[in-house]
Amino acid sequence: TRLVNLCRALKANGYLSGVGGLNYIDRDEFERFYIELKFQNFTSPVYPSPNFVPDLSVLDLLMNAGPDSRKYFL
């Protein structure tokens, strides 16, 4: 697949995908080329904001939480 070819071209030994990749990634092909495949199930943190919208850029967090932004990364 294209993902495996891209990883091979970049000499990558691993690939991190969102859980949506479970629907289309051929795991056997990654194994065949010894490319470690991991799936991440990310959930956006909720932080104080007058009109909070999930899944925005980290810039939104920085603008709304300022120096307290750091605690949302742990």
Side-chain angles (χ1 to χ4, degrees):
T1 67
R2 289 181 181 176
L3 287 175
V4 169
N5 289 338
L6 179 62
C7 289
R8 292 180 68 208
L10 296 171
K11 299 182 180 170
N13 59 7
Y15 183 78
L16 177 62
S17 173
V19 292
L22 288 167
N23 298 321
Y24 61 86
I25 290 179
D26 182 352
R27 296 181 201 182
D28 293 335
E29 190 170 359
F30 278 82
E31 277 186 30
R32 188 167 17 135
F33 290 101
Y34 304 99
I35 301 170
E36 183 180 9
L37 181 59
K38 290 188 177 184
F39 294 93
Q40 172 182 290
N41 189 9
F42 178 77
T43 303
S44 295
V46 177
Y47 48 87
S49 173
N51 299 307
F52 177 77
V53 177
D55 303 321
L56 293 180
S57 164
V58 70
L59 295 176
D60 186 71
L61 170 62
L62 292 170
M63 298 305 272
N64 283 289
D68 289 336
S69 298
R70 175 183 324 217
K71 71 181 179 183
Y72 297 97
F73 289 102
L74 301 176

